[in-house]
Amino acid sequence: MNVDVFEDERQHHFVLNMGPQHPSTHGVLRILLEMDGEYVLDPQPVLGYVHRCHERMGEFKPAKAFMPNVARMDYLGALIYNQGYAMLLERAAGIEVPKRAEYIRVITSELNRIQSHLLWYGAYLLDLGAFTPIMYTFDDREHILDMLEDVCGSRLTYCYSRVGGVCKDIDDKFIERARAFIERLRSRFPMYEDLVNGNVIVQKRMQNVGEYTPELCARFGVTGPLLRATGVEYDLRKAEPYSVYSEFDFEIPTEKKGDAWAAFNVRFREMEQSLRIVEQALDKLPDGEVMAPKVPKKLKLPQGDYNCSVEAPRGELSYYLVSDGSDTPYRIKVRTPSYSNLSVVPELCKGMMIADVVTCMGALDLVIPEIDR
Amino acid sequence: MAVIGAAVLIFGNALVMGYMERKLAGHYQRRTGPMEVGFHGILQLVADGIKLMAKQLIIPAKADKPLFMLAPILSFAPVFLPLLVIPFSDRIQAFDLNVGLLFMLAIASVNVLAVLMGGWASNNKYSMFGSFRAVAQSIAYEIPMLLSLLAIVFMTNTFSLRGVMEAQNVWFIFLQPVAFLIYLVCMVAETNRAPFDLPEAESELTAGFHTEYSGMGFSLFMMAEYTHMLIASCIATVFFLGGSSGFPLPYFEYTGIIWFLLKAYAFMFFLVWIRWTFPRTRFDQLMNLCWKYLLPFSLVNLLITVVVVKL
Amino acid sequence: MKAYFSELFTGAWSLIVGMKVTIKALFTPVVTVQYPRQKVEVTPNYRGHIDLIKDPESGTHKCITCGSCMRECPSDCIVVEGEKREGVKGKVLTLFTLDYTKCSHCGACVETCPTDALEYCNDYEVAGSTREEFHYDLIKRMEERV
């Protein structure tokens, strides 16, 4: 982007740099906004500030040792990333996972999804200027983090799934706490609706901001709650069911309009659906082992390429592993949802006011370490 | 003597309000506010004041130096004046001007100039944005404010603040509820408090027009803001809640100030309450609110008042 | 015209409802734990860095110097060395260091150990001023344990 002296009519535009350090870009994202007064003409995201070479690290470590890396890529959906990668290796090596382990993976993944949406909710409202809802959502989040800490051993960057199952079983204390948490969060939803969803200022800020169509989503590969906000009912848990999701009864919330308010509502209602899944999974939890019986220590994947997709809180997450038959993979590629979600910004945010750019980016729910890997 | 009293009130108010705001903000968010300094954080503002005074005054390289240093002073100096005119109780009032209301509103408008200077002189795009918005916002919201207070003036036939206070047998909040509501919204907008705090929009513009100020400059802007809140609350108390009227206390000509301050601080509590509840409005929605909703209502209110008074 | 007024009233009512929520929260107790004066109860399942378990019968560790933990570690932070001594079956452990600055808390070392010689130490209040403070010598730590 040419930021030197402009000739012609660009002389009275100026470039505002929502720099890598900014309270509302959710990470180290830099956006160059060419502006005319209060209106944005040309937003250009600049990436790469958090690039940590995760995919390169996958090329000289054995395939099983990549598990801590995937959790660091999206720290808010770490259990889902773990699950996806474990599924990839299980598919590649042909290992079958016991039923109880699948149920535990689903329960913890859905709790992780709720936790990620709660944080998004609070942080989005913080961008808009409301300082209290984030404190309430972090309070709810603490309960989930404490539960998961008891089982997985960490609070944010979990390393819980293994090839063939999970590493530790859940006990009755976890099940009790999970049920108590479901009750608690259900009783908090009316409070959030009163404080935030019904508030006229919030509605006015978010309605008709950043309207996009399913065609735009198809062009840029946008998936997840953003796609469901335009009316397309595409959720990998229902479209291509993996793990034991086909055994649960849950809905896919969709909205028609495709603006920030629609995305907001979709994510809010997804939390309730995730609660339903957790409830059903806790009721149907089978007994048994949590680890497959014979998992080789050195996982040698046969030559070829393997692929696995899961539904992360932000969209569709895909792993692609190319193996050349040796100890370490030849290439691991991770297709993260936020990268595709971010790519609509230059087209979507043209002609908006700067306050709307903040609203629009908050609705996209970006996690920058996932974009840069 | 009066100036010393005003100074005591300003600094006392900054201390009390700063502490109250942080503690209340904490409890609204189900956390404790400051707890370390002093018992439950009472001396927190003292520590803050010392810190701000000890900080290095950084002036950006290409900033307009005289304007940069003048802006906080221009923001802070005029706040002494309105406090000299407010009738705190029946006997405590420094000067009883005939045009007390006009005087107070005029001084409150000087803040606009200080904000503009601060934003422009900082040589920073974010600050410039903040100050543009502040100017438009302040100028726009002065009109409904004045019109709603004019309705009261028509009823009492005097601009003097003591006259308005003494003319209230029934508090005017009951006789002019619409004017009260309009004034409440304008009070929030004039003092740049959330949900109208676009000039300082923290998460969009990283502190708006006072981004580049550190130490004493910042603290002068902050004290000016708190004092403007106090002045606006005092005007609301005088015009709508009857000033220092209330249950009689001994030496009421002097101790009426207690009722007055209680009512003024009730308004301040209200300002803090809505700050921590609502998100920010967008700039054009803010202007929409003023021109499309507040202005017609205040004009209609004025018209009805005039008609009723004449009859 | 009707929309003008209805929008105004629903908007104003939503603001009042929101204010009711906050004022209720004002009078509920705080959820803060005032660290460091009060401490949060940490579950014993929290992973910290690893420690060698002191076997109560033999009074020393159970490590057989197989090196599995060193091989499994994704971050290359464990160094295990042993030597063969006469009269002793198998290797004797001489060096077991953990570079905690690189540890990713994955748990592979604990799970892969054939003799279960490692456990998590759920110490979360580790703070130091140099990197060398986090190069733990686990044999020494085990000997200092109760």
Side-chain angles (χ1 to χ4, degrees):
Chain A
M1 176 161 190
N2 187 12
V3 298
D4 297 313
V5 177
F6 298 133
E7 286 107 29
D8 60 33
E9 83 270 359
R10 289 168 86 193
Q11 231 172 16
H12 53 272
H13 303 168
F14 67 95
V15 173
L16 187 65
N17 182 28
M18 269 174 83
Q21 295 159 322
H22 190 97
S24 67
T25 52
H26 295 298
V28 255
L29 175 66
R30 179 175 173 211
I31 304 199
L32 292 167
L33 300 163
E34 187 178 338
M35 311 194 54
D36 177 13
E38 182 106 6
Y39 288 93
V40 172
L41 298 173
D42 192 14
Q44 291 289 333
V46 178
L47 305 176
Y49 285 90
V50 201
H51 182 59
R52 296 157 294 170
C53 312
H54 276 295
E55 292 176 352
R56 172 78 184 108
M57 280 195 247
E59 290 174 15
F60 57 85
K61 288 203 260 196
K64 277 208 299 190
F66 192 58
M67 196 64 88
N69 287 37
V70 302
R72 265 83 178 160
M73 283 200 271
D74 177 13
Y75 43 81
L76 290 177
L79 279 170
I80 297 173
Y81 275 58
N82 271 342
Q83 181 183 17
Y85 189 65
M87 275 168 56
L88 171 74
L89 292 182
E90 282 148 17
R91 258 186 224 179
I95 298 175
E96 199 171 307
V97 181
K99 263 293 198 239
R100 189 179 168 90
E102 293 276 26
Y103 270 79
I104 294 178
R105 275 186 187 171
V106 164
I107 293 174
T108 47
S109 293
E110 291 304 315
L111 283 174
N112 206 5
R113 192 187 306 268
I114 296 174
Q115 174 254 96
S116 166
H117 282 326
L118 278 175
L119 189 143
W120 161 82
Y121 192 79
Y124 190 26
L125 287 163
L126 188 67
D127 289 346
L128 295 182
F131 302 101
T132 36
I134 187 172
M135 298 294 173
Y136 299 159
T137 59
F138 268 60
D139 184 14
D140 291 330
R141 236 179 122 234
E142 276 305 299
H143 292 259
I144 302 185
L145 292 184
D146 284 342
M147 264 196 281
L148 290 174
E149 184 186 1
D150 209 17
V151 173
C152 312
S154 314
R155 282 166 65 92
L156 200 65
T157 48
Y158 310 101
C159 197
Y160 185 52
S161 291
R162 302 273 184 263
V163 180
V166 294
C167 68
K168 190 163 179 292
D169 198 356
I170 63 176
D171 52 357
D172 289 333
K173 191 165 138 210
F174 177 84
I175 299 178
E176 219 177 275
R177 281 170 91 167
R179 286 197 205 272
F181 174 74
I182 296 176
E183 291 305 318
R184 179 173 196 268
L185 191 60
R186 284 217 172 113
S187 71
R188 298 271 279 183
F189 279 144
M191 186 269 286
Y192 285 122
E193 281 174 22
D194 276 344
L195 181 62
V196 180
N197 292 20
N199 195 340
V200 64
I201 302 179
V202 169
Q203 285 177 357
K204 282 258 154 68
R205 279 300 293 263
M206 290 197 215
Q207 280 166 350
N208 303 326
V209 167
E211 288 184 15
Y212 53 96
T213 56
E215 286 74 38
L216 187 78
C217 296
R219 270 198 295 144
F220 285 103
V222 173
T223 52
L226 292 176
L227 181 62
R228 298 197 272 280
T230 58
V232 178
E233 245 190 61
Y234 183 70
D235 185 335
L236 273 175
R237 293 173 291 174
K238 285 253 172 167
E240 301 162 10
Y242 55 94
S243 189
V244 289
Y245 278 105
S246 46
E247 297 179 20
F248 302 122
D249 169 35
F250 61 100
E251 289 166 9
I252 314 221
T254 52
E255 293 268 330
K256 284 250 174 19
K257 192 109 195 269
D259 54 6
W261 179 239
F264 185 82
N265 274 335
V266 164
R267 287 205 184 94
F268 189 72
R269 281 153 53 196
E270 267 186 16
M271 281 199 268
E272 168 63 39
Q273 299 303 318
S274 290
L275 281 179
R276 278 175 71 179
I277 299 180
V278 176
E279 211 176 23
Q280 290 169 35
L282 283 174
D283 289 335
K284 291 187 189 168
L285 189 66
D287 296 319
E289 291 289 316
V290 289
M291 194 70 178
K294 277 204 180 147
V295 179
K297 265 205 178 171
K298 256 196 192 320
L299 200 66
K300 257 204 167 149
L301 300 172
Q303 191 168 11
D305 38 351
Y306 310 98
N307 159 296
C308 174
S309 303
V310 294
E311 178 83 15
R314 280 154 196 91
E316 173 179 338
L317 164 72
S318 293
Y319 291 99
Y320 180 61
L321 190 147
V322 177
S323 167
D324 54 0
S326 65
D327 282 338
T328 59
Y330 179 68
R331 170 85 167 106
I332 297 185
K333 158 111 179 102
V334 186
R335 183 263 184 211
T336 50
S338 291
Y339 189 81
S340 314
N341 292 356
L342 176 66
S343 51
V344 302
V345 162
E347 193 164 314
L348 194 60
C349 295
K350 270 205 168 82
M352 280 188 183
M353 287 192 274
I354 189 175
D356 284 342
V357 171
V358 171
T359 313
C360 186
M361 286 188 39
L364 292 178
D365 192 8
L366 304 168
V367 169
I368 314 299
E370 177 178 73
I371 299 180
D372 288 341
R373 289 184 293 272
Chain B
M1 171 69 189
V3 177
I4 297 177
V8 164
L9 193 61
I10 292 178
F11 288 104
N13 174 58
L15 279 178
V16 168
M17 264 318 287
Y19 179 68
M20 191 169 104
E21 169 145 30
R22 288 167 72 163
K23 266 309 213 193
L24 279 179
H27 282 276
Y28 279 125
Q29 298 168 355
R30 300 202 57 197
R31 58 182 177 92
T32 61
M35 293 284 278
E36 281 296 308
V37 193
F39 175 71
H40 276 262
I42 280 195
L43 299 177
Q44 177 72 40
L45 265 288
V46 173
D48 276 346
I50 297 175
K51 176 200 84 162
L52 284 171
M53 282 197 277
K55 270 199 171 176
Q56 180 189 12
L57 288 175
I58 301 177
I59 302 184
K62 297 200 191 138
D64 197 341
K65 213 162 160 196
L67 282 183
F68 190 82
M69 310 201 60
L70 187 58
I73 303 176
L74 187 63
S75 179
F76 182 64
V79 305
F80 283 86
L81 299 171
L83 288 173
L84 300 175
V85 189
I86 298 178
F88 287 106
S89 75
D90 287 335
R91 291 277 279 260
I92 305 182
Q93 185 183 18
F95 301 102
D96 186 18
L97 288 182
N98 267 354
V99 286
L101 173 66
L102 289 184
F103 177 71
M104 295 187 70
L105 288 182
I107 299 295
S109 312
V110 176
N111 196 31
V112 175
L113 189 61
V115 167
L116 187 60
M117 275 168 55
W120 176 255
S122 300
N123 192 32
N124 182 353
K125 287 172 201 157
Y126 288 120
S127 311
M128 201 174 70
F129 253 135
S131 66
F132 288 167
R133 290 171 166 183
V135 167
Q137 180 183 328
S138 295
I139 294 180
Y141 275 89
E142 276 172 17
I143 301 175
M145 189 151 124
L146 184 62
L147 288 177
S148 60
L149 294 177
L150 263 184
I152 307 264
V153 167
F154 271 119
M155 280 171 60
T156 58
N157 222 8
T158 168
F159 269 116
S160 133
L161 293 170
R162 167 165 311 285
V164 169
M165 195 170 100
E166 284 170 355
Q168 294 188 42
N169 307 327
V170 180
W171 287 354
F172 284 145
I173 186 176
F174 302 114
L175 297 180
Q176 294 261 7
V178 176
F180 177 66
L181 290 172
I182 295 174
Y183 180 74
L184 217 54
V185 177
C186 293
M187 179 165 81
V188 176
E190 277 294 314
T191 52
N192 292 344
R193 295 280 293 181
F196 302 126
D197 65 347
L198 280 89
E200 319 167 343
E202 274 158 23
S203 39
E204 290 162 29
L205 299 181
T206 55
F209 68 91
H210 54 73
T211 315
E212 295 285 345
Y213 286 94
S214 61
M216 217 44 211
F218 178 72
S219 77
L220 284 177
F221 271 123
M222 280 294 112
M223 281 209 284
E225 175 172 323
Y226 280 133
T227 320
H228 277 295
M229 276 166 66
L230 180 68
I231 293 173
S233 306
C234 289
I235 297 181
T237 319
V238 164
F239 272 77
F240 294 103
L241 289 186
S244 58
S245 67
F247 289 115
L249 296 171
Y251 293 108
F252 196 64
E253 300 100 41
Y254 292 105
T255 53
I257 191 173
I258 297 183
W259 288 119
F260 188 91
L261 287 177
L262 272 176
K263 291 176 201 173
Y265 275 88
F267 276 105
M268 304 277 258
F269 176 77
F270 176 76
L271 281 174
V272 171
W273 186 6
I274 61 174
R275 175 179 188 191
W276 298 104
T277 310
F278 299 128
R280 224 171 277 127
T281 56
R282 207 173 57 198
F283 189 54
D284 61 333
Q285 290 164 358
L286 188 150
M287 302 309 271
N288 255 358
L289 180 68
C290 177
W291 302 121
K292 288 194 190 163
Y293 288 90
L294 292 181
L295 194 58
F297 274 103
S298 60
L299 281 173
V300 166
N301 181 41
L302 190 62
L303 202 62
I304 295 179
T305 312
V306 166
V307 164
V308 168
V309 162
K310 257 312 178 184
L311 292 176
Chain C
M1 187 64 187
K2 189 163 167 253
Y4 178 85
F5 281 104
S6 70
E7 218 180 82
L8 186 67
F9 285 122
T10 47
W13 180 245
S14 72
L15 295 182
I16 296 179
V17 163
M19 282 164 72
K20 255 197 293 200
V21 170
T22 347
I23 200 78
K24 235 198 301 187
L26 183 66
F27 296 112
T28 49
V30 295
V31 289
T32 324
V33 171
Q34 305 231 31
Y35 186 84
R37 299 201 168 91
Q38 308 165 339
K39 298 221 178 177
V40 183
E41 252 184 58
V42 178
T43 160
N45 293 331
Y46 174 69
R47 297 177 188 170
H49 61 84
I50 51 172
D51 260 337
L52 283 167
I53 300 180
K54 197 167 197 170
D55 189 17
E57 298 162 357
S58 64
T60 179
H61 58 82
K62 296 192 271 185
C63 173
I64 54 172
T65 325
C66 65
S68 313
C69 52
M70 190 161 62
R71 283 191 292 273
E72 287 288 315
C73 176
S75 321
D76 293 332
C77 48
I78 300 182
V79 175
V80 176
E81 278 174 21
E83 62 184 13
K84 193 109 182 53
R85 288 196 192 147
E86 327 163 345
V88 180
K89 203 163 119 185
K91 283 191 173 170
V92 171
L93 182 68
T94 52
L95 180 72
F96 199 133
T97 53
L98 167 73
D99 183 1
Y100 194 39
T101 57
K102 296 187 191 158
C103 175
S104 30
H105 295 132
C106 64
C109 49
V110 172
E111 287 161 27
T112 195
C113 179
T115 53
D116 285 332
L118 292 171
E119 66 171 1
Y120 301 112
C121 142
N122 37 23
D123 193 11
Y124 64 97
E125 285 170 314
V126 286
S129 41
T130 59
R131 274 182 213 229
E132 285 70 34
E133 282 177 42
F134 292 102
H135 295 175
Y136 295 131
D137 180 355
L138 292 190
I139 304 181
K140 201 158 118 205
R141 280 185 65 101
M142 179 212 64
E143 281 159 11
E144 287 165 3
R145 277 175 105 169
V146 174

